Amino acid sequence: MLFPISETEKNVLTVTELTRRIKQSLEQAYPRVYLQGEISNFRQHTSGHLYFTLKDEGAQISAVLWRSRAALLMFQPQDGMKVIARGSITVYPPRGNYQIDVDQLQPLGIGELQLAFERLKQQLAAEGLFDEAHKKPLPEYPERIGIITSETGAALQDMRSVLARRFPAVEVVLRPVQVQGVGAADDIAEAIEDMDRYGEVDVLIIGRGGGSLEDLWAFNEEKVARAIYASRIPTVSAVGHEIDFSIADFVADLRAPTPSAAAEMVVRDRADILDVLRNICYTMRANLEDRVQEGRGTVQTILNSYSFNRPFDMVRQYGQRVDELDRTLGTSFSHRLRLDLQRHQAVRDRLEALHPASVLKRGYSMVRKDGKIISSAHKLKEGDRATIQFYDGDVPTTVRK
Amino acid sequence: MTSKKASKQTFESSLKRLEEIVEALEHGDVPLDEAVTLYEEGIRLSKECAEKLKATELRIRKLTKDINGQFELTELDEE
């Protein structure tokens, strides 16, 4: 049976023409669609383009994701993964088929991201990236702190204010990065490598403020994890809030629950350090006092047996040095320390009390013969001429028996 | 850069040295004149440390790379 040619002639289309019309109407009708489905037949061509099928219970559609877009994916698509694809419908005339040209692809729901997270975590754990043995201790008194975060984010402000309050003597070296979105992971990984090569910071904080799992995703990327692992600088991760755990947290030498907490962890409070210094000064002074007491005993022994002049000079020298120390101390220390100084002054006063003149003032006197001090009664005999020295003058005398 | 290295040694090693001095003084086998010398050094070091802690402003600079890939530190633009 044949169609009546006369009726159909003017309506006959070529395959090309029909396909052109289908292409035009389909592509105009679906310039952008969001499509939910499950990935199957996933394959990555050597060219870098990704080809797969999206399907559900009732239908399927071919999908392509060009290399330039594929490079920006934040997860590795796999068969069976449920996704949402954004793209346009295109028709490929030579094969007479249509497909979705995907420009964005994301896992459907948090579940899929979690899955990708767990997968990477297991893989890196198996490789030993989280091993305690590899973790570096943080320096006790860092002088330079490297920070990798957004230049405009709240995290930087938080860390600055904590550092300024606790230990403003440190210097911060910021390497600004993009902390979310396409390219963030590359930027962060490069920043870590830069800091490592720069080499002039003592500790490194990497982080950002809170956000959704997607916002924090860059810190769950493998390249960031590997950069942290390779870094020679002790690294603290500070990603999001307390409850957020990132892959970066597991690799870092220390995990801080928030950026502010990271700043608290890397520097000690200067008030605490001042306490330590005060303690040190106090202990030194107390010990020095002990030494001076010992010295005093020694001087006493010498006084009993020998000319006073030399030991007095020593005592005076020490007194003078303590005086100088008093002056150098100035006002830089606490009231408490000044009290210590006063105590020290008292010790010095006591030492000065040992001055021979002071001893004489207290009623003692010295007997000399031929200019030499007579310290024993046996050294004088009848008829000897001697001189008694009082604090205010000498009296010549003769021994009478 | 060298001055930075030198000052870096100062704070941490100053504190370490201070601890050594206290230790030496506490052990009691130091003669008096040596003890006074140690004490002088200790006071000087603790003064230096306290001086460092007096800083009131946090210095923050930005790490950038020039066209040759050399690192540079530039002041952070304050908003």
Side-chain angles (χ1 to χ4, degrees), chain B residues 14-25:
Chain B
S14 291
L15 274 173
K16 214 171 164 188
R17 176 67 186 143
L18 271 172
E19 277 156 16
E20 282 169 15
I21 288 171
V22 171
E23 187 105 334
L25 287 174

Side-chain angles (χ1 to χ4, degrees), chain A residues 3-158:
Chain A
F3 298 111
I5 298 295
S6 58
E7 272 180 43
T8 55
E9 202 172 29
K10 54 182 177 290
N11 295 322
V12 171
L13 297 172
T14 62
V15 174
T16 300
E17 178 57 17
L18 176 66
T19 305
R20 193 188 62 77
R21 288 189 192 184
I22 289 172
K23 181 177 172 70
Q24 197 173 9
S25 60
L26 264 182
E27 291 182 359
Q28 274 173 6
Y30 302 105
R32 172 173 286 190
V33 290
Y34 289 88
L35 191 61
Q36 176 181 328
E38 188 186 309
I39 293 175
S40 65
N41 286 325
F42 177 83
R43 56 198 190 281
Q44 180 156 17
H45 195 264
T46 48
S47 63
H49 307 317
L50 308 182
Y51 298 95
F52 52 98
T53 302
L54 283 174
K55 64 172 189 181
D56 57 20
E57 303 78 34
Q60 62 177 39
I61 183 173
S62 300
V64 61
L65 208 156
W66 306 114
R67 182 179 56 196
S68 57
R69 303 279 186 187
L72 304 179
L73 277 183
M74 64 179 191
F75 69 106
Q76 178 64 40
Q78 286 181 333
D79 281 351
M81 203 179 255
K82 289 192 171 58
V83 293
I84 295 178
R86 190 188 78 175
S88 53
I89 302 301
T90 59
V91 172
Y92 186 52
R95 298 182 93 96
N97 63 7
Y98 66 98
Q99 63 187 12
I100 178 168
D101 188 343
V102 178
D103 60 28
Q104 273 186 21
L105 189 67
Q106 64 181 50
L108 180 64
I110 296 300
E112 294 293 333
L113 276 180
Q114 287 290 12
L115 216 63
F117 177 90
E118 288 302 328
R119 206 175 293 126
L120 180 61
K121 188 179 149 192
Q122 276 173 21
Q123 181 200 333
L124 297 181
E127 279 187 47
L129 263 73
F130 308 156
D131 285 358
E132 284 299 322
H134 184 264
K135 298 204 185 295
K136 298 173 279 297
L138 264 53
E140 225 180 324
Y141 300 101
E143 305 249 331
R144 271 189 171 194
I145 297 168
I147 294 182
I148 293 177
T149 192
S150 161
E151 189 172 348
T152 54
L156 179 62
Q157 295 313 319
D158 290 350

Side-chain angles (χ1 to χ4, degrees), chain B residues 51-67:
Chain B
E51 202 60 40
K52 283 210 114 186
L53 294 175
K54 276 189 185 165
T56 52
E57 223 161 291
L58 181 71
R59 186 163 194 213
I60 176 161
R61 288 188 291 171
K62 198 156 64 169
L63 184 68
T64 51
K65 275 185 285 191
D66 67 14
I67 45 166

